[in-house]
Amino acid sequence: MLVQQTVAGFIAELSSDSPAPGGGSVAALSGALGASLVGMVCRLTIGNAKYAAADVAMRGALVKVDELKDTLTRLIDKDTAVFNQVMAAYRLPKTTDAEKTNRSEVIQLALKEAAALPLSVAEHCLALLELSKQALVNGNANASSDAAVAGAMAHAGLAAALYNVRINAMSIKDEEFAVALQKSAKSLKSRADSMYKELEAAADVKIG
Amino acid sequence: MLVQQTVAGFIAELSSDSPAPGGGSVAALSGALGASLVGMVCRLTIGNAKYAAADVAMRGALVKVDELKDTLTRLIDKDTAVFNQVMAAYRLPKTTDAEKTNRSEVIQLALKEAAALPLSVAEHCLALLELSKQALVNGNANASSDAAVAGAMAHAGLAAALYNVRINAMSIKDEEFAVALQKSAKSLKSRADSMYKELEAAADVKIG
């Protein structure tokens, strides 16, 4: 499993000439890092008398980000697994007509899975971006840079995931499916961009 | 060392209620992940006859990103080390006047180091962002999403690093030093934002 490698080992494997792991797993990792930071900010806020007014909200946020952290961590390996399925499908035999038909069908199924997975990463990152903003505004001020960094990682994780949605969508022949993907990607990106602008403005207030 | 922990272990430690590691180390990690992806794209391009025209440029880029990857990986641990120095300085005794003066001086020195380090992370990320764009435009088209993801990680790493510059600058009493930091941060951010817009436009052409 990728997440059982050391950080240095993962970095080394990523930079090698093997196409996997690649940007899809990095997108999920970016989200997992952001979720961890929001978790830290919540933990540094909960129970602190100075932030008593935010206690209930921070406890609720913590449950959500811990779940996002676990989900996004799982998706680091899952993304590489579905990418490998696409590669394996392209290597299927294509001599006879039956083989060609089968290969094409298997490729198309694998591509749909390889596009759907980063779309869910992007959705999780959008939820995380909202929680990062809440942690920045209501959380422990000593950790406000951590909450802002979490927002940057959520925003980047979302953008990164959507590049993977789009590159897979390019080879999907089911036009309706591909168009729906592109539409979802566009909508998520535009919501994330404006949410990140709000987070940047909140950071200007908190961090100066 | 943080980079000798497993990815899953690093994520768990990050989300704990201990302030370190925090957003500063994540900023450097984000850059290291981006540099690794550009390295992969270069390796998947170099020696490929289809990209012969880009061969020399990709070889030059590879040397640079491999160096950036190593530097940014080192800075993951280094950032947590300088952060811990700041924490240690705040714990110094402050009973006598001499102790107070000494503590304040040590804090100020530690804060300057803790602000200078993420500033250098941001500078490395800006260089990486330019190389990500080159890899996206000239590199193997099969890996264009990886180059675009690298750009997203470089851009986020830079923004994340600058939040850490700014939060440390807030407590630095040497006004000239603090103002210079803020000015550098602003300039880096604005250059990175316009460079990332160019990368996004290049991705729209390549990825559709």
Side-chain angles (χ1 to χ4, degrees):
Chain A
M1 272 171 77
L2 294 171
V3 299
Q4 291 309 322
Q5 291 186 9
T6 64
V7 172
F10 179 74
I11 286 170
E13 189 167 333
L14 196 61
S15 78
S16 79
D17 65 357
S18 153
S25 288
V26 170
L29 174 54
S30 182
L33 293 168
S36 301
L37 285 172
V38 178
M40 180 182 86
V41 178
C42 290
R43 287 183 174 87
L44 290 170
T45 307
I46 293 167
N48 184 327
K50 200 174 157 188
Y51 300 98
D55 206 79
V56 173
M58 287 292 104
R59 283 177 196 274
L62 180 57
V63 173
K64 288 181 198 163
V65 290
D66 272 354
E67 204 179 302
L68 283 171
K69 179 200 66 173
D70 292 341
T71 304
L72 287 160
T73 300
R74 253 195 326 272
L75 294 175
I76 297 168
D77 275 281
K78 183 84 180 153
D79 186 276
T80 294
V82 297
F83 178 81
N84 285 336
Q85 276 176 10
V86 173
M87 294 292 102
Y90 276 111
R91 284 192 300 268
L92 285 173
K94 48 176 177 176
T95 314
T96 67
D97 280 351
E99 281 174 353
K100 281 181 196 164
T101 307
N102 173 63
R103 177 175 173 273
S104 171
E105 281 172 11
V106 176
I107 289 172
Q108 288 301 312
L109 276 174
L111 281 171
K112 284 183 177 180
E113 228 187 311
L117 189 130
L119 192 67
S120 85
V121 169
E123 284 160 353
H124 293 311
C125 285
L126 188 70
L128 174 62
L129 188 47
E130 175 60 37
L131 292 164
S132 306
K133 206 182 68 187
Q134 287 177 23
L136 175 62
V137 173
N138 302 318
N140 190 321
N142 291 335
S144 51
S145 60
D146 299 297
V149 170
M153 300 313 292
H155 185 240
L158 180 140
L162 295 181
Y163 288 130
N164 284 277
V165 172
R166 288 161 59 189
I167 202 166
N168 286 303
M170 284 171 81
S171 306
I172 290 175
K173 289 176 180 161
D174 178 344
E175 206 167 326
E176 203 177 321
F177 191 94
V179 168
L181 281 176
Q182 301 279 18
K183 211 175 144 184
S184 299
K186 212 162 208 161
S187 152
L188 282 165
K189 182 66 166 58
S190 115
R191 286 160 69 195
D193 283 351
S194 44
M195 209 182 278
Y196 188 59
K197 275 211 179 73
E198 289 171 25
L199 181 138
E200 282 187 311
D204 286 346
V205 173
K206 284 268 178 172
I207 306 176
Chain B
M1 274 172 76
L2 294 172
V3 300
Q4 291 309 324
Q5 292 186 8
T6 64
V7 172
F10 179 75
I11 286 170
E13 190 166 332
L14 196 61
S15 79
S16 79
D17 64 359
S18 152
S25 288
V26 169
L29 173 55
S30 182
L33 293 168
S36 301
L37 285 172
V38 178
M40 179 182 87
V41 178
C42 291
R43 288 182 173 88
L44 291 169
T45 307
I46 292 165
N48 183 327
K50 201 174 158 189
Y51 300 97
D55 207 79
V56 173
M58 287 291 103
R59 283 177 198 275
L62 180 57
V63 173
K64 288 180 199 163
V65 291
D66 273 354
E67 205 179 301
L68 284 171
K69 179 199 69 175
D70 292 341
T71 304
L72 287 161
T73 301
R74 250 193 331 270
L75 294 175
I76 297 169
D77 275 282
K78 183 82 179 154
D79 186 275
T80 294
V82 296
F83 178 80
N84 285 336
Q85 275 176 11
V86 175
M87 293 293 101
Y90 277 110
R91 284 192 299 267
L92 285 174
K94 47 176 179 176
T95 314
T96 68
D97 280 352
E99 280 174 353
K100 280 181 196 164
T101 307
N102 173 64
R103 177 174 173 272
S104 171
E105 281 171 12
V106 177
I107 290 173
Q108 288 301 313
L109 277 174
L111 282 170
K112 283 184 177 180
E113 229 188 309
L117 190 131
L119 192 67
S120 86
V121 169
E123 282 161 354
H124 294 313
C125 284
L126 188 70
L128 174 62
L129 188 49
E130 175 60 38
L131 292 164
S132 305
K133 205 182 70 186
Q134 286 178 26
L136 174 62
V137 172
N138 302 317
N140 190 321
N142 292 333
S144 50
S145 60
D146 299 297
V149 170
M153 300 313 292
H155 185 240
L158 181 140
L162 295 181
Y163 288 129
N164 285 275
V165 172
R166 289 161 59 190
I167 202 165
N168 285 304
M170 284 172 80
S171 306
I172 291 175
K173 289 176 181 161
D174 177 344
E175 205 167 328
E176 204 178 320
F177 191 94
V179 167
L181 281 175
Q182 302 279 18
K183 210 176 146 185
S184 299
K186 213 164 206 160
S187 153
L188 282 164
K189 182 66 166 59
S190 117
R191 286 160 71 194
D193 283 351
S194 46
M195 208 182 279
Y196 188 59
K197 276 212 177 72
E198 289 171 26
L199 182 138
E200 283 187 311
D204 287 345
V205 173
K206 284 270 178 170
I207 305 175

